[in-house]
Amino acid sequence: MSPDSMVMHFVGASALILVAAHAAGWLARRLKQPYIVGQLTAGIALGPSLLGSAAPGAYETLFPAGISPALTGFAQFALVLFLFAVGYELDLKLLGDRASTAVSVALAAFVVPMAVGSGCALLFRDQLADLGMPRDLTPGMVVFAGIALSITAVPVLTAIVRENGLSRTVPGVVAVSAAGLLDVIGWTVLAGTMLNGDHSGPALSWPWRALLAAGFTALMLVGARPLLRRLLWGTRTRMEPSLRLALLIGFALGSAWVTHSLGLHVIFGALLAGVVVPREEGGTLDPDLLRPLHDVSSLLLPFFFVVSGQSVALNSMNATGWVTLLVVTVLAVTTKIGSGTAAARLSGLDRDDARTVGVLVSARGLTELIALNAGLQAGLLSEPLYTVLVFMALTTTLLTQPLLLLVDRLATHEGRTTQRHQLTPLHPPPDEPTKAPVPDVS
């Protein structure tokens, strides 16, 4: 295939990806589901399992092997921008007066699913072997099985909180705050797991890579942050918005390249770059930075969903795979909701608010998919097990809204009417007023 023909194939495939994914996202939102549910479904539908099986000729024409590197490059670029924005928006000051409750919920909602997932990986090695995993699992594979059950998706959770009018309530504040902490804990553990896994980085032992990663993190926090503060917000050097945006995107891409070179995934460099970038005076977010980041990442994220869907192998799902999907989904829901609810209840929340917190922290969505993709690339997952976990992430995200409605119905059935929607806000909710109005990419 000639270069011109390859470019035209890529342009045609891009048109299909963008239209199909955003149309599916719009439809999902009309059905009261997160945008990501529709986009992920479209990504799987355009993959080899559905389109490739139903119309193999059309699939080969639309997605020839030669355009895979370009699709992957767009997917990685969108991922870096998205996670750079996530890191920039991450603010643990959100904890406020509910800090102890949020910390308790975060720890419980991470430790319990982590222990259950890792324990099941050790107990059911034979079943996992039927899904393409080695019988002698490495420590990284065992830990990653726990991480897969422990993830909470902050963007999806925030969107659900906002759409259900929970932004100004105790359970909404606690859930969003706990999810921020869960992000920090989860990404840190995942980084450690990947340092000890297969990688395409330098041929160094994991202690050396861990030392280099720690040194790079310290350099970013101690050196890059004050330099950026002086360069971006100094009175003499204050840049125009377009130049500032270009500089910071380059900074995020460079940080992602460094972490990938150290044997980690690009996601860690992107998150770190976002955390390092200083806010404006008063701690407010820069709307001239945040809005275009969300615009571009939300436009290009469908490429990530399609690339992820290419690895979903429905035709590899045997009886063991479907049983595993059922068991994993049940464990994912019960461990998250149970641990989150119990921790919130023990921290003083009433029964209905505690149940709401438990349901909210069970949302996974895009963050789960990013972690699974990183695990697949690092050799910590087989394709059949990856397929199982992708559908678990999709199912648990779909269940969040119905479970919230169930909590309200339980309160009504038990003779209580929840007042959480009328509570005085503990602090400005996550979507106002410190953020610019940006599109919801969740």
Side-chain angles (χ1 to χ4, degrees):
M1 186 179 294
S2 68
D4 286 344
S5 177
M6 193 68 66
V7 170
M8 288 301 100
H9 273 87
F10 175 74
V11 171
S14 299
L16 176 63
I17 289 168
L18 291 174
V19 173
H22 285 288
W26 173 84
L27 180 60
R29 183 163 290 163
R30 291 295 298 268
L31 297 173
K32 306 297 183 184
Q33 290 293 339
Y35 206 74
I36 177 187
V37 170
Q39 291 191 316
L40 177 54
T41 303
I44 295 172
L46 292 175
S49 294
L50 293 182
L51 180 61
S53 297
Y59 177 77
E60 290 295 331
T61 301
L62 289 168
F63 300 105
I67 68 170
S68 293
L71 291 175
T72 302
F74 264 67
Q76 293 295 303
F77 181 74
L79 202 56
V80 168
L81 293 188
F82 173 77
L83 289 169
F84 177 55
V86 169
Y88 180 60
E89 293 176 279
L90 184 62
D91 185 9
L92 295 183
K93 293 177 182 177
L94 186 69
L95 297 176
D97 298 332
R98 294 281 172 176
S100 60
T101 303
V103 171
S104 299
V105 170
L107 290 176
F110 182 81
V111 172
V112 173
M114 181 80 182
V116 170
S118 298
C120 286
L122 293 172
L123 288 173
F124 300 106
R125 296 185 182 187
D126 292 340
Q127 288 76 11
L128 291 179
D130 289 341
L131 295 175
M133 296 293 288
R135 290 190 178 273
D136 295 324
L137 299 175
T138 66
M141 292 174 180
V142 174
V143 173
F144 190 85
I147 293 173
L149 293 191
S150 305
I151 294 292
T152 293
V154 175
V156 172
L157 185 152
T158 303
I160 292 172
V161 165
R162 182 172 58 246
E163 290 167 7
N164 284 273
L166 297 172
S167 296
R168 296 177 179 272
T169 68
V170 169
V173 169
V174 169
V176 172
S177 303
L181 287 173
L182 275 164
D183 249 13
V184 174
I185 298 170
W187 291 123
T188 302
V189 175
L190 181 59
T193 302
M194 294 188 67
L195 278 171
N196 200 25
D198 295 334
H199 60 92
S200 58
L204 296 173
S205 61
W206 76 264
W208 278 107
R209 281 185 280 137
L211 184 62
L212 289 172
F216 176 66
T217 303
L219 179 64
M220 290 282 280
L221 293 172
V222 176
R225 181 187 284 272
L227 180 61
L228 286 172
R229 186 182 302 279
R230 177 174 297 182
L231 187 63
L232 299 176
W233 311 126
T235 54
R236 295 183 178 179
T237 58
R238 190 175 181 87
M239 299 178 179
E240 62 181 46
S242 59
L243 180 57
R244 185 164 66 245
L245 177 65
L247 174 66
L248 289 176
I249 289 178
F251 175 67
L253 292 169
S255 178
W257 175 80
V258 170
T259 56
H260 178 74
S261 299
L262 292 175
L264 292 168
H265 197 278
V266 296
I267 57 179
F268 302 108
L271 278 167
L272 180 60
V275 170
V276 164
V277 171
R279 299 186 174 203
E280 292 184 309
E281 294 182 7
T284 58
L285 299 170
D286 179 8
D288 292 326
L289 170 62
L290 205 55
R291 187 181 295 110
L293 281 177
H294 278 283
D295 287 341
V296 177
S297 63
S298 63
L299 176 68
L300 297 182
L301 272 175
F303 287 92
F304 173 73
F305 292 115
V306 168
V307 169
S308 300
Q310 301 294 311
S311 300
V312 172
L314 279 174
N315 51 6
S316 69
M317 289 282 284
N318 52 22
T320 301
W322 292 110
V323 172
T324 303
L325 173 59
L326 176 62
V327 172
V328 167
T329 302
V330 171
L331 289 176
V333 172
T334 55
T335 55
K336 272 287 192 180
I337 294 179
S339 58
T341 300
R345 192 80 175 96
L346 291 172
S347 298
L349 270 64
D350 65 40
R351 184 182 301 174
D352 299 320
D353 283 352
R355 287 172 176 171
T356 301
V357 169
V359 170
L360 287 172
V361 297
S362 71
R364 286 174 172 82
L366 179 57
T367 308
E368 174 82 16
L369 193 62
I370 293 169
L372 294 179
N373 210 271
L376 181 65
Q377 292 180 21
L380 300 173
L381 291 175
S382 63
E383 282 200 1
L385 184 55
Y386 171 82
T387 301
V388 168
L389 294 175
V390 165
F391 277 100
M392 177 273 289
L394 183 60
T395 304
T396 53
T397 306
L398 280 167
L399 286 174
T400 304
Q401 187 64 42
L403 288 173
L404 281 176
L405 295 175
L406 179 61
V407 168
D408 280 341
R409 289 182 180 179
L410 283 174
T412 303
H413 179 72
E414 293 170 3
R416 299 184 303 276
T417 54
T418 177
Q419 298 296 316
R420 59 174 176 262
H421 292 241
Q422 287 77 41
L423 290 176
T424 302
L426 301 177
H427 52 71
D431 54 312
E432 59 177 74
T434 57
K435 287 185 185 178
V438 294
D440 175 20
V441 298
S442 55

